[in-house]
Amino acid sequence: MTEAAGMEPTAAFNEWFVLSSYQAFVRGEEAPLYEGSAIEDLASIELADWKRRGGKVAYTRMADQEILSLQIVEIPPGGELKPEHHMYEAIMLVLRGQGASSIWQSGERPHTVEWHEGSLLGIPLNAWHQEFNSSGTEPCRFVMGTNMAHMMNLYHNLDFIFNNPYVFSDRYSSENAAYYADRVRHMNVRLFETNFVPDVRTFGVEAWREKGARTGIARLSMASTALGLHILDIGEGTYATAHRHDAGAHVVQVGGTGYELMSFEGEAEPRRVPLRPYGVIAPKRNEFHQHFNTSPGPMRQVAFRGNPVRFGFGRPYSVLGAAQTSDPSATGYTIPYELEDPPVREAYYRELERNGVELRLPPVSQGAS
Ligand SMILES: [Fe+2]
């Protein structure tokens, strides 16, 4: 019998053990890796020159998890990236500028889609894609919500990820000219199927009163991916109820301004993160978070998240979305307005007064839901 307890790692162990194939990949890209649970502005964070494809790039490892991550990319004026295809899925959100993507399967002619700030585009699994900046004077920047970290850690073989000949012809062909047309199918309440949204800032969402008064949401299935995505509106003069869940959701602010309160159970003071386009918050497991809109008009967020809306992970589809519960011991616990600390609403109300916006929530004593 060997005694393992307290054994110090040896040089042989350190060489054998792989902490993260994803982190090793990012080091190989010589790119920054942003961590934590908030980034104030994806449109201005520093990126590194991208030797593999041209342009500039950075990656994230937010909320201490490697299931969903972001890839932030910039193309200089008049520039283009080298084409690639890969065995991970990606949904692209344009943060700045304008350009085009060519997308095709091996042996096909490229199909080109034009985009600009606010566009949302699903990239089918392992399809070739190439991005171009169509401005000769301004850079363009976009963010990809991806499951690349998960796939790299599962297969830990970059040749399999980036050089796999399999063609998912059940998902995409560039000969289907309508694939990226501005076509939205309404599949159920607050649930849509589309491959391209020209401007996510004007997409029509549907009321979602269960989540707190005056909110609206659209859940999107895009490009047959197993990536979850939603567009959430928080109405003027309102805020969402505090809640917590598993790590993985990346919430990108795309319209309006406000703030996020983030805290763990038992912490005296929540952390306050300003919300403005294009900041992102990615709460850690069990980290309470709560979106406050302090601007006139609705505040809008796009979330890359787990729980894909069409190709599910075994949970029945629920119009309520993520499992939420009133059980305070559960990970999916949502704090109703009437149980939150009164200073939370008082501070919000003072901020609305400064901005000349009226509170639109009913008083908690009357049982707001
Ligand atoms: Fe959340």
Side-chain angles (χ1 to χ4, degrees):
M1 192 169 136
T2 52
E3 178 57 68
M7 194 169 120
E8 289 298 315
T10 60
F13 171 84
N14 286 334
E15 201 174 307
W16 169 81
F17 177 66
V18 179
L19 177 66
S20 160
S21 301
Y22 171 62
Q23 292 180 41
F25 164 76
V26 174
R27 278 196 300 277
E29 296 271 274
E30 297 176 36
L33 182 66
Y34 289 93
E35 302 195 71
S37 43
I39 296 172
E40 282 202 24
D41 185 12
L42 291 172
S44 64
I45 56 166
E46 202 165 314
L47 314 180
D49 286 338
W50 198 5
K51 293 192 186 81
R52 188 164 59 86
R53 296 191 68 202
K56 290 172 177 285
V57 72
Y59 295 87
T60 69
R61 182 188 176 276
M62 298 184 76
D64 295 338
Q65 55 77 49
E66 298 190 356
I67 303 294
L68 291 177
S69 61
L70 305 177
Q71 179 190 50
I72 305 102
V73 176
E74 186 168 295
I75 311 176
E80 62 183 60
L81 303 180
K82 292 192 184 101
E84 67 167 3
H85 64 110
H86 39 73
M87 289 293 295
Y88 59 82
E89 297 175 318
I91 295 175
M92 169 183 180
L93 169 66
V94 182
L95 306 173
R96 192 200 296 158
Q98 56 189 32
S101 294
S102 290
I103 301 162
W104 70 98
Q105 301 283 25
S106 262
E108 291 184 339
R109 272 197 305 223
H111 176 80
T112 299
V113 189
E114 293 188 352
W115 38 254
H116 52 73
E117 181 175 345
S119 296
L120 201 54
L121 184 142
I123 297 175
L125 183 62
N126 213 28
W128 284 96
H129 63 99
Q130 180 174 24
E131 289 75 22
F132 305 84
N133 185 347
S134 57
S135 165
T137 54
E138 300 293 327
C140 66
R141 186 180 282 218
F142 53 84
V143 57
M144 297 278 196
T146 82
N147 51 15
M148 70 190 298
H150 194 201
M151 296 297 278
M152 285 175 176
N153 289 341
L154 282 176
Y155 294 103
H156 45 86
N157 183 313
L158 293 180
D159 194 43
F160 174 81
I161 296 286
F162 288 108
N163 200 18
N164 189 317
Y166 188 80
V167 174
F168 290 84
S169 51
D170 55 330
R171 301 192 185 207
Y172 178 71
S173 164
S174 66
E175 282 158 28
N176 177 4
Y179 190 86
Y180 285 112
D182 177 15
R183 193 183 58 171
V184 178
R185 295 166 71 200
H186 191 194
M187 306 311 296
N188 199 334
V189 60
R190 309 176 202 120
L191 173 60
F192 303 86
E193 168 91 43
T194 186
N195 302 315
F196 179 62
V197 175
D199 195 334
V200 77
R201 297 168 296 180
T202 56
F203 190 93
V205 299
E206 294 184 321
W208 189 25
R209 298 188 201 289
E210 299 89 327
K211 179 76 176 195
R214 302 184 66 82
T215 62
I217 195 166
R219 298 196 182 86
L220 265 53
S221 165
M222 298 188 73
S224 302
T225 59
L227 297 169
L229 189 131
H230 71 233
I231 304 166
L232 176 70
D233 269 7
I234 308 290
E236 176 174 310
T238 69
Y239 59 89
T241 41
H243 63 287
R244 65 185 181 191
H245 42 65
D246 277 336
H250 290 63
V251 179
V252 182
Q253 185 86 4
V254 298
T257 55
Y259 60 91
E260 190 83 13
L261 292 185
M262 307 181 82
S263 65
F264 290 98
E265 181 103 51
E267 276 182 349
E269 277 295 312
R271 190 155 64 99
R272 188 189 148 114
V273 179
L275 293 177
R276 65 178 81 91
Y278 286 100
V280 57
I281 59 128
K284 297 179 183 180
R285 178 175 163 78
N286 281 337
E287 187 170 19
F288 281 111
H289 51 285
Q290 188 166 18
H291 324 302
F292 294 79
N293 178 9
T294 59
S295 55
M299 177 178 94
R300 178 162 285 198
Q301 302 174 326
V302 168
F304 301 107
R305 50 177 290 177
N307 297 329
V309 293
R310 182 179 177 200
F311 295 97
F313 291 169
R315 289 187 206 163
Y317 177 72
S318 161
V319 293
L320 293 179
Q324 292 181 356
T325 163
S326 55
D327 173 4
S329 67
T331 294
Y333 178 45
T334 296
I335 304 175
Y337 289 128
E338 58 269 25
L339 290 185
E340 75 188 13
D341 283 342
V344 169
R345 182 166 293 203
E346 286 157 21
Y348 176 64
Y349 186 53
R350 283 197 300 277
E351 183 132 349
L352 287 189
E353 272 190 315
R354 278 196 294 277
N355 292 353
V357 176
E358 239 176 81
L359 182 72
R360 304 246 184 139
L361 293 172
V364 283
S365 57
Q366 289 175 17
S369 61

